[in-house]
Amino acid sequence: MEDMGMTSTETASQALSTSGTSGLVDWGFAKATGRLLVQAGPRVGPGEAAELVGSLRSAARRSRGPVAETARMHAPEGASPVLVVDRPGWIDANVDSLRSMLEPVITGMLAKRKNPLAGSPMVVSVGGKVTGAEVGALTAFLSSKILGQYDLAPDGTPRLLLVAPNVLHTETELGVDPEDFRLWVCLHEETHRVQFTAVPWLRQHVIDTARALTLDLAPDPEELGNQMLRIARNLPDALRSGGNGLADIFATPEQRAQIARVTAIMALLEGHADVVMDDVGPAVVPSVEHIRAKFQQRRHNVTGLDKILRRLLGLEAKMRQYRDGAVFVRAVTDRVGTDGFNAVWTSPETLPLPDEIENPQAWVRRVHG
């Protein structure tokens, strides 16, 4: 019951102070919603499940040597454990990481508002449930799409996640050799692990950049009217093939320039992982050409509501990151070799700019003269 001796803003502030800014997003409800909505994975018995987990852990171990040799980058011993999870486990891990990523952003949003927490504790609580449900629904959708992920865990221990039911579902759907496919997936994800552990500054740089962009993109209540007009005007762009999803709706031209800089970093990371995976593949994955052909076909065969959601969420843009980033990595490596390419990891200033992703020689000129 509300204390009549307090203003509604003071009471709401006190309610939030007991759980930090997370009062604006009910993270526990997000996990519960995600677990409720998540699609069931393939049906397997205990023995088959144990074999799958063991096989993925083995594939992760076997990928380390070839990736380090090919990329000429070495992770510190014992860095970043490998965790094999199911879909609910992936949801829990990503909600925790999202909370760590966004709490400072929410704090920054509240600091910019004159009356940030106006409303009763009930209003704050209901709002947190609504936002938590949205987060849960989003993670439930994504949890069936992800094969593996390097979890940056902003305030925790970064680790490599492998989503066992999704790997099993995909290898069965594609009709590829299971052992080869599992190792092929691990080659890509191991490259991400090496990127973030062999380059000491990279993880925090990506976290800080993402937080700054999220804070800048956060909706301002005073601008909601203009944003609704922008949604109506830009929705066709968000749904078109080749668009950036919701970013095309909400972002101003200045914000799109920021998004382009972040996208350039992501293109580098994804493209580098794809190149290393493909360069290692023929030596250790006998059926790599068959797997790659099947996987590329699967990427292009998405239809219906799933296709619309992928476009809105920017997942199609992520597919472009693999392609554009790989072209950049190969062009630079052809020009200056692997060691010359690895100059990209020297500092944030040596990361490629948006126009350099499309013009690799411009990066070579800027960094190598």
Side-chain angles (χ1 to χ4, degrees):
M1 182 175 179
E2 183 174 343
D3 187 333
M4 297 301 292
M6 293 183 176
T7 66
S8 59
T9 300
E10 291 169 336
T11 307
S13 298
Q14 185 183 68
L16 289 179
S17 69
T18 62
S19 58
T21 56
S22 61
L24 296 180
V25 182
D26 190 327
W27 300 105
F29 193 66
K31 289 183 179 181
T33 301
R35 284 174 166 268
L36 179 66
L37 296 179
V38 66
Q39 295 180 353
R43 288 182 175 272
V44 295
E48 187 179 358
E51 186 278 329
L52 174 60
V53 170
S55 174
L56 286 171
R57 288 176 177 160
S58 173
R61 287 192 300 271
R62 288 186 289 128
S63 70
R64 291 183 178 180
V67 166
E69 181 179 348
T70 301
R72 297 186 190 175
M73 300 170 67
H74 297 272
E77 198 66 34
S80 298
V82 175
L83 185 63
V84 180
V85 297
D86 57 11
R87 290 173 180 175
W90 184 90
I91 290 170
D92 287 350
N94 276 268
V95 169
D96 286 340
S97 288
L98 194 60
R99 176 177 183 169
S100 296
M101 180 72 78
L102 293 185
E103 291 280 355
V105 174
I106 296 174
T107 300
M109 288 169 53
L110 297 181
K112 293 193 300 184
R113 298 178 184 175
K114 294 179 181 179
N115 192 20
L117 297 174
S120 69
M122 180 175 293
V123 171
V124 173
S125 175
V126 170
K129 285 286 194 296
V130 170
T131 312
E134 292 171 347
V135 171
L138 175 61
T139 54
F141 172 77
L142 294 175
S143 68
S144 64
K145 314 297 179 185
I146 306 297
L147 299 178
Q149 170 197 0
Y150 186 78
D151 180 14
L152 292 178
D155 294 324
T157 302
R159 63 266 178 98
L160 179 60
L161 303 179
L162 298 172
V163 191
N166 295 351
V167 173
L168 178 61
H169 171 78
T170 303
E171 69 191 26
T172 303
E173 183 180 67
L174 297 180
V176 295
D177 181 88
E179 289 299 317
D180 281 5
F181 182 73
R182 295 166 194 178
L183 179 56
W184 186 72
V185 169
C186 286
L187 292 173
H188 182 99
E189 302 308 332
E190 170 63 15
T191 305
H192 286 317
R193 192 184 77 91
V194 169
Q195 290 165 348
F196 284 105
T197 54
V199 184
W201 54 266
L202 183 60
R203 173 175 169 261
Q204 195 59 48
H205 176 71
V206 170
I207 291 171
D208 292 343
T209 302
R211 280 174 172 165
L213 177 61
T214 305
L215 177 58
D216 195 53
L217 289 173
D220 186 340
E222 286 76 18
E223 288 292 320
L224 283 179
N226 291 334
Q227 287 194 354
M228 293 304 293
L229 292 175
R230 198 180 303 155
I231 289 173
R233 186 170 59 247
N234 293 339
L235 185 58
D237 287 338
L239 290 173
R240 79 179 191 279
S241 178
N244 291 306
L246 293 173
D248 284 331
I249 294 180
F250 293 107
T252 65
E254 294 78 12
Q255 290 168 338
R256 290 185 186 184
Q258 289 180 268
I259 292 171
R261 288 192 288 272
V262 174
T263 300
I265 299 174
M266 296 300 105
L268 168 70
L269 299 175
E270 297 294 357
H272 181 237
D274 253 19
V275 167
V276 171
M277 174 179 67
D278 285 345
D279 286 352
V280 172
V284 298
V285 182
S287 60
V288 64
E289 290 187 9
H290 176 65
I291 291 173
R292 168 60 81 182
K294 286 279 193 176
F295 199 74
Q296 287 296 104
Q297 181 181 4
R298 181 177 183 265
R299 281 179 174 174
H300 295 305
N301 285 347
V302 180
T303 59
L305 178 61
D306 196 43
K307 190 169 188 174
I308 294 174
L309 287 172
R310 284 173 178 265
R311 287 183 179 176
L312 278 174
L313 295 174
L315 296 183
E316 281 199 351
K318 187 172 180 64
M319 295 301 102
R320 294 200 308 278
Q321 289 172 15
Y322 288 97
R323 182 189 66 237
D324 297 345
V327 170
F328 171 85
V329 173
R330 291 201 181 279
V332 171
T333 304
D334 288 344
R335 182 69 180 271
V336 296
T338 299
D339 292 334
F341 166 78
N342 280 342
V344 78
W345 312 115
T346 304
S347 72
E349 287 69 36
T350 56
L351 292 172
L353 302 172
D355 61 322
E356 291 172 340
I357 287 291
E358 299 180 0
N359 182 10
Q361 299 310 319
W363 181 87
V364 173
R365 288 193 297 270
R366 178 170 68 87
V367 174
H368 289 283

